[in-house]
């Protein structure tokens, strides 16, 4: 005789962090972001073990499963390397036609976007802001405030992450502090 089990995953939002048995957590320290900041001298003088951001993700299906969705929450800490704001690594999707949603939870920052023609633009992230990131658009987030920036994301389980393209060529513009104003240059 077959027994049907009901499985109810438990995922909790606690202090703007995703927790639960199936949640995967990762941390990026400054040393892992070598090459993404423009001011090499400032970067070299900083503590490479400093935590820049943390991600907690819920991946209910295997990666590359068509039709599935993943969800995550990122906490990006305040700070700068020279005049450039702390930011996430940035990526295109490996399956480059896949879109993604970001939404602001706490703090303030900028979502930096770049299309395949290397045109760059930015959108302000704040609690309650919602951002649609179309396919074929690279994206990264910078914390432009003085407190932690928390944002959440939902993306297709078969999107993948292409960090190599950004690592090799970077974004065509940088978000820096110009007299207290976040500015793309």
């Amino acid at each position: 005789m077959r027994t049907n089990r009901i499985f109810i995953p438990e995922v909790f939002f606690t202090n703007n962090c995703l927790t639960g048995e199936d949640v995967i957590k990762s941390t990026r320290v400054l040393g892992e972001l070598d090459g993404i900041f423009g001011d090499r001298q400032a970067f070299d003088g900083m503590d490479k073990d400093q935590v820049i951001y943390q991600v907690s993700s819920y991946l209910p299906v295997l990666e590359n499963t068509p039709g599935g969705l993943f969800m995550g929450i990122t906490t990006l800490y305040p700070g700068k390397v020279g005049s450039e704001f702390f930011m996430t690594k940035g990526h295109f999707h490996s399956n480059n036609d896949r879109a993604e949603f970001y939404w602001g939870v706490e703090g303030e920052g900028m979502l930096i976007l770049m299309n395949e023609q290397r045109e760059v633009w930015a959108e302000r992230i704040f609690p309650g802001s919602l951002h649609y990131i179309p396919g074929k658009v690279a994206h990264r987030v910078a914390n432009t405030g003085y407190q932690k920036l928390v944002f959440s994301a939902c993306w297709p389980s078969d999107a993948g992450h292409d960090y190599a393209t950004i690592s090799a060529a970077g974004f065509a513009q940088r978000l820096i502090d110009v007299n207290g104003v976040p500015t793309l240059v």
Side-chain angles (χ1 to χ4, degrees):
M1 185 163 111
R2 239 174 106 183
T3 305
N4 290 331
R5 285 186 56 215
I6 297 175
F7 175 71
I8 301 172
E10 292 183 308
V11 177
F12 302 96
F13 293 91
T14 307
N15 297 323
N16 292 332
C17 182
L18 206 53
T19 60
E21 185 177 320
D22 297 324
V23 171
I24 297 168
K25 297 185 180 233
S26 63
T27 298
R28 291 251 189 224
V29 296
L30 183 61
E32 294 175 279
L33 302 175
D34 193 3
I36 72 164
F37 295 100
D39 188 337
R40 186 71 207 189
Q41 185 176 359
F43 179 86
D44 287 344
M46 296 177 71
D47 177 6
K48 303 305 178 286
D49 293 325
Q50 180 177 0
V51 174
I52 304 300
Y53 63 99
Q54 297 168 309
V55 181
S56 55
S57 302
Y58 178 59
L59 314 175
V61 297
L62 293 175
E63 194 163 358
N64 295 318
T65 299
L69 290 173
F70 292 157
M71 192 242 179
I73 296 178
T74 299
T75 299
L76 176 58
Y77 294 97
K80 295 179 194 161
V81 175
S83 60
E84 201 167 0
F85 299 97
F86 281 179
M87 65 182 133
T88 60
K89 207 169 180 181
H91 63 274
F92 281 100
H93 287 153
S94 300
N95 285 327
N96 69 358
D97 64 345
R98 300 305 192 261
E100 184 168 3
F101 272 114
Y102 278 13
W103 58 95
V105 176
E106 179 183 340
E108 188 168 322
M110 297 292 279
L111 169 61
I112 306 164
L113 304 142
M114 181 179 73
N115 65 22
E116 291 177 315
Q117 291 73 44
R118 299 191 52 77
E119 298 167 322
V120 177
W121 66 101
E123 298 176 0
R124 186 172 154 257
I125 295 180
F126 55 91
S129 65
L130 180 63
H131 308 271
Y132 175 74
I133 303 165
K136 301 181 182 182
V137 171
H139 42 287
R140 72 166 27 135
V141 173
N143 184 338
T144 59
Y146 297 98
Q147 63 183 17
K148 65 183 178 181
L149 169 63
V150 180
F151 62 95
S152 198
C154 184
W155 66 100
S157 53
D158 64 349
H161 295 87
D162 172 8
Y163 292 107
T165 298
I166 298 305
S167 180
F171 272 63
Q173 292 185 308
R174 297 183 178 279
L175 186 72
I176 63 169
D177 185 339
V178 177
N179 300 319
V181 178
T183 306
L184 285 170
V185 294

